[in-house]
Amino acid sequence: MNAALYYTGCEENYQPHFLDTCSLCQRTLAHNHDIFMYRGDTPFCSQECRQEQIEMDEANERKWKIAAAKRSSRTKTETQTTKETDSNKAVRNGTVAVA
């Protein structure tokens, strides 16, 4: 624990700084070693942890793109089916008088 925090009695109110631990493995980051950053504000303890996060993000992005493409093609199919159904309906034009 940080000696200054202990001395002031603030240890129970301590809010961890975002550079205190690796975002992937939660290992404590040494202040005298390199910190590997990703997407601006995400710290990692090593290049391996950072690369693993990058690969996970890319896999999620691919899944989202595939899901979006499926939704898009499904919407197009439903729209075409609706148009075909609408074109097969008989519609009468004219005036109706009600007494």
Side-chain angles (χ1 to χ4, degrees), residues 30-92:
H31 295 288
N32 58 348
H33 289 93
D34 288 340
I35 297 175
F36 301 87
M37 302 297 289
Y38 173 57
R39 292 196 173 180
D41 61 351
T42 309
F44 295 94
C45 63
S46 66
Q47 289 180 350
E48 291 80 14
C49 279
R50 181 179 64 182
Q51 186 61 38
E52 188 172 337
Q53 183 66 51
I54 290 169
E55 290 170 2
M56 289 188 312
D57 289 351
E58 288 173 350
N60 285 336
E61 190 174 328
R62 281 191 296 272
K63 287 179 189 176
W64 292 333
K65 285 181 180 180
I66 290 170
K70 285 182 180 178
R71 282 192 304 270
S72 177
S73 67
R74 191 176 324 133
T75 303
K76 287 178 185 177
T77 304
E78 290 172 357
T79 303
Q80 289 174 346
T81 305
T82 304
K83 287 180 182 179
E84 290 171 2
T85 304
D86 289 344
S87 65
N88 293 334
K89 292 181 181 178
V91 178
R92 294 185 198 171

Side-chain angles (χ1 to χ4, degrees), residues 7-19:
Y7 180 74
T8 61
C10 297
E11 63 275 356
E12 66 261 356
N13 296 330
Y14 174 69
Q15 294 293 325
H17 190 270
F18 80 101
L19 291 177

